[in-house]
Each structure stands twice: as C-alpha cells, then as structure tokens.
Amino acid sequence: MTDLRDISVTDLFIIGGGINGCGIARDAAGRGLTVTLAEMNDLASATSSASTKLFHGGLRYLEYFEFRLVREALIERETLLRAMPHISWPMRFIIPYHEDMRFESETPTSRLLSIVMPWMKGRRPRWLIRLGLFMYDNLGGREILPGASSLQLRGSPEGAPLDDRFEKAFEYSDCWVEDSRLVVLNARDAAAHGAQVMTRTKVLSATREGNIWRVETKDTETGETREHRARMLVNAGGPWVGNLIQNTVRLNSTEGVRLVRGSHIVTRRLYDHDKCYFFQGTDGRIIFAIPYETDFTLIGTTDAEHHDPDVRPECTPEERQYLLDFANQYFKQDIGEDDIVWSYSGVRPLYDDGASSATAATRDYTLKVDANGAPVLNIFGGKITTYRRLAESAMDKIGAELGGIKDNWTAGVPLPGGDFPVDGFETQVSDLKNTYPFLSNFWARRLVRAYGTEARFILGTAETASDLGQDFGATLTEAELAWLMKQEFARTAQDVVWRRSKLGLRLSTEEIAAIDDWMVRHNSPAKAAAI
Ligand SMILES: Cc1cc2nc3c(=O)[nH]c(=O)nc-3n(C[C@H](O)[C@H](O)[C@H](O)COP(=O)(O)OP(=O)(O)OC[C@H]3O[C@@H](n4cnc5c(N)ncnc54)[C@H](O)[C@@H]3O)c2cc1C
C-alpha cells in the first residue's frame, strides 16, 4: 500500500474524459488549479463521439419551453465557432413543410394548441414554425450566422432530392462540430496548462479522508493500480455518473441519469448540395440528414431507453429501419439497407426529471455538490454545445468550495489550431497547398479541418509526400500518426480512425490492421520519442 503522505494533493480529480470532464479540466487548469483527469478508455470513447455533431440551440426544445437552455446554447454557438473555426463551421438547415406534420403530443406547446386550436388535431401549423424560427434568430445574440428564410423547393437544388409533395420549406442556421476532436483539443489544452490527463485509467474507488479524497485508479492496459489525493472530486462520468455515485464514490444520494440511446446511420452521399435537412415525422419526432465527410450522408437520431451504461450501445435493426423509413418519407429515391455504410450509437446521460418519454426528458444540465466532508461535484446531463458554459458553472461551484479561484477565461480563447479568422478556412487551405504543393485538395482540406494552423507542425519540412513516411491509405501518414500518439493521446487504430478522424469510412480492414501494428511497435516511450 502506498504511503499517502508521499502523494502530492491536487486541487481537482476529474473522473471522465468526455466533453464535460475535458472542458472542466481545461478551464480549471487555465485558472491555475492543479488537475488530474482519469478516463477509463480513450478520450471521447463514450457519448462525446456519438452525437449528431451540432452546435445548436435546439429548435425543437422551444416546444418544451426550454428557453434558458436554448438561449444559452444559441449565444454559445458563435463563441465556439470563433474559438475553433477548423473543427466547427456554419450549416444551413432546410425544413420541408407539409401540413401533415405532427407535434409530439407531450410538449407544452402541443397541449396549449390542442386547447386553443383543437381543430389542428396535433398538426404543427406553418405560423408556429415561423414563430419558432423568429425566436431562434433573436433569442441569442446572432452576429455571424445568417437568419431564417423561406424557400420554394420546386426547381431548387434543395428541392431536387425530395418528394414532389414538398413545395415549400424554411431555412435556418446552426453549426457543425467534430465532437471527438473537440474533446481531444480540450484535453490537449488542459495538458498544456499543466493538467495530468490519464487515458486507459479507470477510477476504482474514491474515499473521503477528512478534507481530502483518496482515489484509487487502475491502468486498464497494465493492470497497475495507483493512488491519488485531491481536494475536490468531479464526477463527469456521463452515462456512468449514477453508478459512480452509488458504487465508486458511495454517496448517500439517489440522484441519477436517465439513459436514452440515440443512433445514427451513415449512407453514401444522397444529394449534391451542402445543406442539411430537418425532417419532421408523423410521430412528432424529428431527424436530420446531414452532408458528412464529403462523400456520405449522416441520418439520425433515435430516442430509445437504455438501461445499463456497461452495455455498449449499438444501432439496432429496428432503429436502422426506423431511420430509413423516416428518411424515405422525404427523399424521392428510396434508400435501403444496402445504402448504409456505417452506423453508430451513443447514450445521452439526461438528468432524470421524471419526464414521461425519452424524447421529452430535459437536455439541460444540473450540477450538484455534496460537501459532507471533502467536496464532490456530480455532473448530470448537458450538451456538447453547452460544455464551455457548463465548465464555467462548474468552476463557480468549485470556487465556492476551494476558494480563491480566478475569473472566467475560455470565451474568445482559441482551441489548439483554431487561431485563425472565423471565415479563414479556405485561406488556410490554399496557404497550406502553396507551402506543400504535393498535397491534394482532399488531403489539405482534411488536415486543416482536423488540425487548423497546427497542420504545419505535422508536415514540418516535408518537400514530398514520401518525406512523411509510410502512407497507410486515405492520406494518413506516419508523420500524422506520430503526432496523434505524441500530442493527442492516441493509442490504437480505433482511436485514430473512428475518433480523431473518420478515416475508418475509407480504410480497409487490412489498412486499419497495419495502423494498429505500427502503433503497437511505436507504443513504448523510447520508440515514440524516436519517431
Ligand atoms: C445520439 C446523440 C446525439 C447528440 N447530439 C448532440 C448534438 O448534436 N449537439 C449537442 O450539443 N449535444 C448532443 N448530444 C449530447 C452530448 O453528446 C452529450 O451531452 C455529451 O457528449 C456528454 O458528455 P459527457 O462528458 O458528460 O459524457 P461522456 O462523453 O460519455 O464521457 C464520460 C466518460 O466518463 C468515463 N468514465 C466513466 N466511468 C469511469 C471510471 N470509473 N473511471 C474513468 N473514466 C470513467 C467514460 O469512459 C466516458 O468516456 C447528443 C447525444 C447523443 C447520445
């Protein structure tokens, strides 16, 4: 047993390397706190790599009167866009309109409308969508993104892939974000500010010893256990937050999360323009169809109860069929199983507010401190979009416990590689191609999207593609792999091809195995240093 007196005490010990854990780690480390973060798998290995990948206000939450959440998220979209113009960009969303579209019957808006306009029988009237979009445009300080407008679908590129019965549409703005890269960049910036970020490290127990936490962790690769001491604990375990409360930290609390699975399918590219579709179903739900990774279309999501965080979420055959049927209500050309090239699934850790349906459960976040001894902050719910604000709220709570905390600082400070103007992506691409003429268009765009201004650190003094070492396929080279291992905590091919990139969509099983093989060979500190 380690003598605890030998272990220095960190200010914060954070459990969970999803967006909330990494966002808090970055914010806290930047304020000068000492921070240790433990993630039992890879960064963003759970919910934070399985989202729809939108920085959005959440148009549909307006029907639930979630004005606080929508307003905060709308304001936040542009703050985030400015801080990461490489991994996030504006998108236009088309809402095709047809009078059969129905509300979800449980929303406060639909209940109100069924009283004042009973003849609508659950249908969503046009004026209500207009009103919603007006609020969406004006609730939250919009400066960069264009406002909502109406659109005639007939004869337009946006109408071309849709069934002829859709003649009119609305159009509005939100933003895309590469969710797992967002997590990794927050972790990197946390580490740059002095945080210790440990992946493949599971928290086995956390015990109060007076005013200090004693935390036991296990390296899931070597089996080695270690002890840590911290003044405050942050439980950012996402879907595991309740399990951590009950079994690991053992608090006397019944609070927990409602686990709601959401699945997506990825198909070959279904249409030629770069806008997204917001489809309303006859069941009151909505789904998106979004241009994805240049050659694909992303369709999702579903809402299904999920009971155990340890059961890996997967897109079930029923969910695949549901998404295909939903999209086929809109697209002229039916899509089927053969068009699906990939699917993924994640579990929303929603604060259990007692809502009747999974769709109706709040998407807002709740932070709860237990200070019966050394303090612990438990995080429930939250969106990718609100992670930075959630971190600031967490810092308020942490400051109240630990005292002497510096002011908010993350708004307006770019994430690694994001230090260029919000409309500067194309300039970055052409500058990169000028310096490195051997880059193809696809390659240069991919590198700037992933690494922004840091793409140059990967390419270094290369004059030809072969200067970057072996090409593993789809423009992934040894130089990039080495960067991902040294700078971005990547340990396996899965970390690289499904989280830090989506090159898994383009690489064969053999090519992915070759990446794994290379990473195993370079995974000792001595070998990694020599890369
Ligand atoms: C289908 C779907 C679509 C979504 N779409 C959007 C969207 O478009 N926009 C948006 O803003 N939000 C969206 N969200 C919500 C958003 O993805 C989540 O709110 C967010 O990712 C939750 O992050 P988290 O850090 O709390 O959880 P997670 O990302 O799950 O992180 C928790 C981490 O804790 C780790 N952990 C657990 N127990 C331990 C332990 N004992 N030791 C060490 N580590 C541990 C886990 O391994 C995990 O990595 C979506 C969610 C889903 C499921």
Side-chain angles (χ1 to χ4, degrees), residues 16 18-20 39-40 46-48 52 54 203 239 348 382-385:
I19 190 52
N20 289 328
E39 163 53 52
M40 64 181 171
T47 313
S48 297
T52 310
L54 301 178
V203 173
R348 302 176 183 88
K383 305 277 300 168
I384 296 265
T385 314

Side-chain angles (χ1 to χ4, degrees), residues 94-99 101 126 150-156 158-160 162-170 330:
I94 309 286
I95 312 179
Y97 181 76
H98 194 272
E99 56 192 17
M101 280 144 193
R126 267 168 74 85
S150 304
L151 183 77
Q152 289 295 337
L153 288 173
R154 197 159 280 175
S156 69
E158 295 86 347
L162 300 181
D163 193 282
D164 289 338
R165 74 195 168 101
F166 298 105
E167 294 178 8
K168 295 196 171 82
F170 300 96
Y330 282 84

